[in-house]
Amino acid sequence: MALAPALSGTATEARRRARARRGVVGSRAFPYLLILPMLALEGALVIYPIIRGALFSLETDTGLGLDNYRTMLADPDFWRMIGHTLVFTLSVDVAILTIGLSLALLMNWSFRGRGLVRSLLTIPWAIPEVPVAITFVLMLDPSFGVFNAFLRLFPGVTENPQWLLDPVLAMVVVIAVTVWKGFPFYSLVLLSALQSVPDELYEAGRIDGAGRFALFCHITLPGIRDTLALLAVLAFIYSTQQFTLIWLITGGGPVDATTTLAPAIYMQAFRFYNFPYAGAIAVVGFVISAVATLVFVAAQRRVETSE
Amino acid sequence: MSTVSTRPGASRIEPVLRTVAIVVVTAIVMFPVYWMVVSALRPSDESLSFPPPLLPHALEFSSFCQLFAEKPIAHWLMLSTFVASLTVIGTLILVIPAAYALSRLYWVGRSAFGLMLLFTQMMPGAVVVAPVLMLYRSLGWTDNLWALALLHTAFVVPLCAWVLKTSFDSVPKEIIEAALIDGCDRWKVLWLVLLPLTKPGLVAVSVIAFFASWNEFLFASTLITKNDLYTASLGLATLMTQLDTPLFVLMAAGVTFSILPVFFYMAIQRHLLRGLTAGAVKG
């Protein structure tokens, strides 16, 4: 390693010479030129529409104003939608992390076929949302859906439930499908986090006479805490973004029982053609995901510094 | 790696219990996938009986024949491939320079740019779909597959920039310094040194971009209204609402549409793990 300082010395030298040659590539503007095309596209097709949508939300019959927000906040449907969004998002988040972690713990030992199980777990996540919706609608069909056959195995169940016509069952269904599609990914990330917890810690704990539960609470959990926090934010974002599964399975219904944020915006804009009101709800969606992103960045910093 | 089996005093029965549990969980998770495939392959008279037999009595491919003969699925798949390919090209053009700037160059505003990328990555499509439609209408870009691909590109590049940046990050500093000493400028370092060394990352980015576009439904359904411009996700969704589509044909369409993404996602699984958590977690 005696060579290293000399090497980096010549490298700085070379860099200085390269810069001295001037030209665009050597100039200070070079990094900015590299990101410019991407910045332009994001500006035009993501950031500009967000601003445009926010401006829509200020448009009223009498000029600019906060009327749409007043209407929104006074609208019981809006608060029902927020309630549905909370129920959906929190249930998906908690279920994804609990099931994901349980499966990761189960898989955290070397067994034959682990590669195969990993690959199989990728499948739900890889299947596009439209076929997923089609499959679950088929399996839940009240007259010949296979889920009814399973349900009939329980004592006392003699009729096929109307899965998608009952407000509570419909919510359970969209939550379950979203979890089914999402949790394998979280499981695989948690599995690699579990594997990065040093073996020596477990050894030391065992020598100190710690039981299995104590090992989990004092070594495993602190070891993956930051990853878990990061994934909680990611799952939150995943569930607030969810549109296609809900839209194709229940259409937000029955009535509005499964209308969360994304379907609500879509419905206001394209069913009722109320763009200003859709814009107001979209601003709520924007604020939620902006805050979630900041929390994500904070969680990410912790994961990086703890490594 | 912590292994249960090597632990002294671990009970003999534990590996067995774990194996059984893993098999059961995997079976439950895989059941809908199994059902999707079986429903496409079972004889048509079986699909409407209750309770449906868990194991089909026979397997036949007639549903696929009927699907391709009676529905324009080949056309839809072709258009999806077209849009997805354009998305890949657009993504690579934008992402290679940007990932280089994020990974290897030092400039004021770099972390702000990174934060902006993250914001756009996390933004739900529904938040912008109405204003985007207005914008596209004023430009005359609705019912235009090129314009749809551009939108898909805009929504997938943030994620792809992270994936490629982590890939660039993994190239040892010494190699780049050696190239600089040999007289490469920063542009040549990118093309002659970094890109040849990060081919797996480039493949991963292409796969992500391709299938993000392939799977996308919300934008396609709002921007494309003409039947003959339907991409596969749109076509499939309309088959679903058409009551005259036989069930097994619908399932065959679902399977056909899913084969490619499943195959490719499996192949790049590890890259995806890293990319989707913006590099914070090892895949």
Side-chain angles (χ1 to χ4, degrees), chain B residues 252-283:
Chain B
V255 172
T256 311
F257 186 49
S258 308
I259 288 172
L260 276 183
V262 167
F263 177 77
F264 278 97
Y265 274 156
M266 272 187 182
I268 61 150
Q269 188 204 104
R270 276 164 191 275
H271 284 273
L272 272 172
L273 292 189
R274 247 178 280 147
L276 291 169
T277 52
V281 176
K282 289 177 293 175

Side-chain angles (χ1 to χ4, degrees), chain A residues 182-242:
Chain A
F183 94 88
F185 160 73
Y186 294 80
S187 227
L188 294 179
V189 176
L190 283 168
L191 180 59
S192 56
L194 285 175
Q195 287 170 357
S196 66
V197 179
D199 255 357
E200 298 82 62
L201 289 181
Y202 289 104
E203 289 302 322
R206 260 173 236 131
I207 289 166
D208 290 347
R212 174 165 296 208
F213 185 68
L215 284 179
F216 176 74
C217 289
H218 298 291
I219 296 172
T220 312
L221 221 44
I224 60 166
R225 190 188 55 203
D226 296 334
T227 306
L228 214 50
L230 187 81
L231 291 182
V233 188
L234 215 56
F236 176 82
I237 292 165
Y238 163 71
S239 49
T240 39
Q241 281 186 347
Q242 193 48 250

Side-chain angles (χ1 to χ4, degrees), chain A residues 7-8 10-11 14-15 19 21 25-27 30-32 34-35 37-39 41-42 44-50 52-53 56 103 105-111 114 117-128 130-131 133-139 143-146 148-150 152 160 180 183-185 188-189 192 195-196 199 202 206 212 227 230-231 234 237 240-241 243-244 247-248 262 265-266 269-270 275 282 285-286 289-290 293-294 296-297 300 303-304 307, chain B residues 1-5 7 14-15 18-19 21-22 25-26 28-33 35-36 39 47-52 54 94-95 97-98 100-101 105-109 113 115-124 126-137 150-151 153-155 157-158 161 174 177 180-181 183-187 190 214-215 217-218 221-222 233 236-237 240 247 250-251 254 257-258 261-262 265-266 269-270 272-273 276-283:
Chain A
L7 192 70
S8 61
T10 36
R15 226 176 281 145
R19 212 162 285 161
R21 256 184 268 140
V25 176
S27 78
F30 183 57
Y32 300 99
L34 290 179
I35 62 155
M38 188 150 154
L39 199 60
L41 186 70
E42 297 306 297
L45 294 186
V46 184
I47 295 168
Y48 167 76
I50 290 173
R52 193 66 229 275
F56 271 139
L103 184 58
L105 286 169
L106 209 52
M107 284 178 66
N108 189 25
W109 60 300
S110 47
F111 58 94
R114 182 147 112 181
V117 175
R118 283 184 73 118
S119 299
L120 288 177
L121 285 180
T122 329
I123 294 179
W125 172 46
I127 298 180
V130 181
I134 292 178
T135 307
F136 276 90
V137 168
L138 167 75
M139 295 201 300
S143 44
F144 48 82
V146 67
N148 303 307
F150 288 135
R152 292 274 191 106
N160 295 348
W180 174 80
F183 94 88
F185 160 73
L188 294 179
V189 176
S192 56
Q195 287 170 357
S196 66
D199 255 357
Y202 289 104
R206 260 173 236 131
R212 174 165 296 208
T227 306
L230 187 81
L231 291 182
L234 215 56
I237 292 165
T240 39
Q241 281 186 347
F243 168 80
T244 310
W247 191 251
L248 292 180
I265 298 171
Y266 187 88
F270 302 118
F275 276 38
F286 167 76
S289 47
T293 309
L294 291 177
F296 177 85
V297 172
Q300 194 188 24
V303 174
E304 274 165 358
E307 260 172 8
Chain B
M1 207 189 280
S2 56
T3 51
V4 170
S5 46
R7 195 162 79 210
E14 182 171 331
R18 273 186 185 246
T19 309
I22 290 172
V25 174
T26 313
I28 295 173
V29 173
M30 292 308 292
F31 182 76
V33 181
W35 202 251
M36 180 174 163
S39 307
S47 62
L48 293 179
S49 57
F50 187 86
L54 287 182
L94 296 175
V95 139
Y100 180 46
L105 304 177
Y106 301 92
W107 40 285
V108 179
F113 181 66
L115 192 62
M116 187 221 68
L117 282 186
L118 212 53
F119 268 116
T120 49
Q121 182 182 339
M122 304 300 185
M123 201 50 59
V127 165
V128 298
V129 67
V132 161
L133 178 67
M134 298 286 283
L135 177 69
Y136 267 42
R137 268 194 197 141
L150 195 66
L151 192 60
T153 307
F155 271 79
V157 281
E174 289 74 20
E177 287 180 347
L180 285 170
I181 293 170
C184 282
D185 61 25
R186 291 186 288 180
W187 189 243
L190 172 61
W214 178 273
N215 298 354
F217 173 73
L218 174 62
S221 72
T222 37
S233 65
L236 218 57
M240 191 180 171
L247 253 173
L250 188 58
M251 299 316 287
F257 186 49
S258 308
V262 167
Y265 274 156
M266 272 187 182
Q269 188 204 104
R270 276 164 191 275
L272 272 172
L273 292 189
L276 291 169
T277 52
V281 176
K282 289 177 293 175

Side-chain angles (χ1 to χ4, degrees), chain B residues 201-218:
Chain B
L202 290 170
V203 171
V205 164
S206 308
V207 172
I208 294 170
F210 192 91
F211 291 108
S213 165
W214 178 273
N215 298 354
E216 203 278 330
F217 173 73
L218 174 62

Side-chain angles (χ1 to χ4, degrees), chain B residues 149-192:
Chain B
L150 195 66
L151 192 60
H152 285 167
T153 307
F155 271 79
V156 80
V157 281
L159 170 61
C160 290
W162 289 118
V163 176
L164 199 59
K165 177 197 176 291
T166 26
S167 187
F168 283 174
D169 284 347
S170 65
V171 174
K173 212 166 59 193
E174 289 74 20
I175 295 183
I176 292 172
E177 287 180 347
L180 285 170
I181 293 170
D182 288 346
C184 282
D185 61 25
R186 291 186 288 180
W187 189 243
K188 282 188 186 146
V189 164
L190 172 61
W191 291 102
L192 302 178

